[in-house]
Amino acid sequence: MTLLKIENATMRFGGVVAVDNVSLHVDQGEVFALVGPNGAGKSTVFNLISRFYTPTEGAITLEGEDLLAHPAHDIAKLGIARTFQNIELFENATVLQNLLVGRHRHKRTNLLSEMTFLGNARSEEKRHRQAVEEVIDFLDLQAYRDKLIAGLPYGVRKVVELGRALATEPRLLLLDEPASGLSVEETQDMAFWIEDIQKQMGITVLMVEHDMGLVSAVSDRVMALSDGKELATGTSREVQSHPAVIEAYLGTSGIQKGGDTGKKKKGKAA
Amino acid sequence: MRFVFKTDYDADIRWFKHGPQFFWYMLALGLLLVLPLYFVWIGNAYLLGEITAVIIFTIVGMGLMLLTGQTGLASLGHAAFMAIGCYANILLLNAGVPWLIAFPLSGLIAGIAGTIIALPVLRLHGVYLALATLAMSILTGDFIVLFDDYTGGVAGIAVPDISIFGYTINKYANPYAFFYVVVAVMLIVLAAYRNILRAPSGRAFAAIRDSEISAKAMGVNLTKTKATSFFLSCVAAGWAGALFGHSATYVTHETFDVIMSITLLLMIVIGGLGFIHGAFFGAVVVGILPVAIANMRSWASAAFDVNLTIPGLESLIFALIVMGFILLEPMGLYGRWLKIRTYFELFPFYRKDMFRRQKSYQKTERVQ
Ligand SMILES: Nc1ncnc2c1ncn2[C@@H]1O[C@H](COP(=O)(O)OP(=O)(O)O)[C@@H](O)[C@H]1O
Ligand SMILES: [Mg+2]
């Protein structure tokens, strides 16, 4: 069954065509990866789904529901959560508070009950905290729960951002480069989490990732983009051996081959 | 160093994190409530009036803190919303509305008026809100003059007494009762503020302050949430304005000027942006500073036999203090207090860099 469907989406920024007539569908329960060189338009696809941008042309639907008919703040309520390539956390708040913001789509309190803490405010608060505590356990964030984001190491921030997205209890999770800048061990953890998110939580994942080891390990289908255009779609192996993909990567840093996770160079990101 | 072991979700929701904290806040509240006894004893309530004025400023301070410190939106026009609350209160009282209805309504009217004014600019960048509210503050006096049939305009208008179930409260006739009225309003605003911080709306405010883009991605309706913050902020300002009127007993078109608006913003910056405590520390400084400067001036004049009646001296010293804070202690007085407290809790293990932000990953340092 198709969960997310993008049909002939084009996004132009002035003269730049960031996404050029791209169509894709993500099925319920799968992990779908978008790969491609920098500037290929992958993040722009995410921003289209998040409704940060309105496509110049094309249609985007979630289980038949027209996403383009909704403003950006409705997207979380429809069950789509995301992370950002350049980590966008609430810096002056604790890890716990960040995850609690992820619960915003489940808010059932009104201003009056929140100000007086009468009515359902307390019970709702407990419900949110219980849900967040499960995410903290799942991602092993106990040690950081009361720490401010400002001052946390990069790797932990990436995990917190994943946690915040999970706290929304999404149907579709968009991960923009979840492993970029992570160490080998952290990347392996990320691979396990993505697998659990798919298999145990039943959440559909659409991710952008450069680490082909991670991509091959977790994704069911892969689409390669270059200059905003689709090059190939299929299994990770099919896409990596596709002539157009190999050509697109020639001259660039080269596609990172690998069958399992953790082959990524440590330290600086590509 | 204190470790607080949490065993249930209530531990994170509670107002006070641990017993000693509860004790200190209750002690402070107790002292505040018995304070009038001291002035009854010395038989002079002048200073109590000054303290009451400071508490009125904490009310509008909390309102502005919610907007600026919590939501990240600066208003340079909160004196204008105080004026709306003040005049609404006066007009309602003069129309025969009982104080217990007129007073809450005055805040509500200020809140609604503020939201209507702010709504068109809330979609734009924060600077436009600051400019729009500044313009509003500059025009307040003109509006009061324009509607002088109702407001008394330049000549001013007398503020009726507070009347609660037939019991009349006037700042001069019974300063003690007035003090308790002001404290009650302050406590209500404080409780509401504290509650909202531990609820989804409070966290949505902070989310907008820190990252609008991910707040949006988490389902926070930016315009609606900003408008809510603005509304609540203006309600507090309106109440403070109404109480300010009762305290002044007579207001004119010059009472709520743009200088007052700016002072309010500086007040919460000095106190510590983003902390409720900051509203209190800031109000105390703003309340004490003019008195302290005046006293020092007369002392210096006498001691060194010089004439120090320089116009604008207060403003100059005030400005210097604010600049000092922004340069040297961006976390405000409350931040300074946190450092001192940590020093004693950790003694002798305090490190100089303890509160320095760890260098966080700069986005620009990373390529993609
Ligand atoms: N808001 C924008 N305004 C103008 N150009 C943009 C904007 N967002 C993306 N682009 C351009 O679109 C292209 C694709 O960018 P992006 O989607 O971020 O690539 P990727 O995530 O695949 O590295 C780039 O050329 C980028 O400069
Ligand atoms: Mg990108």
Side-chain angles (χ1 to χ4, degrees), chain B residues 36-47:
Chain B
L37 289 180
Y38 169 73
F39 293 99
V40 172
W41 180 55
I42 63 167
N44 181 347
Y46 168 74
L47 204 57

Side-chain angles (χ1 to χ4, degrees), chain A residues 43 85 176-177, chain B residues 368:
Chain A
S43 296
Q85 183 174 349
D176 200 344
E177 305 201 7
Chain B
Q368 290 295 313

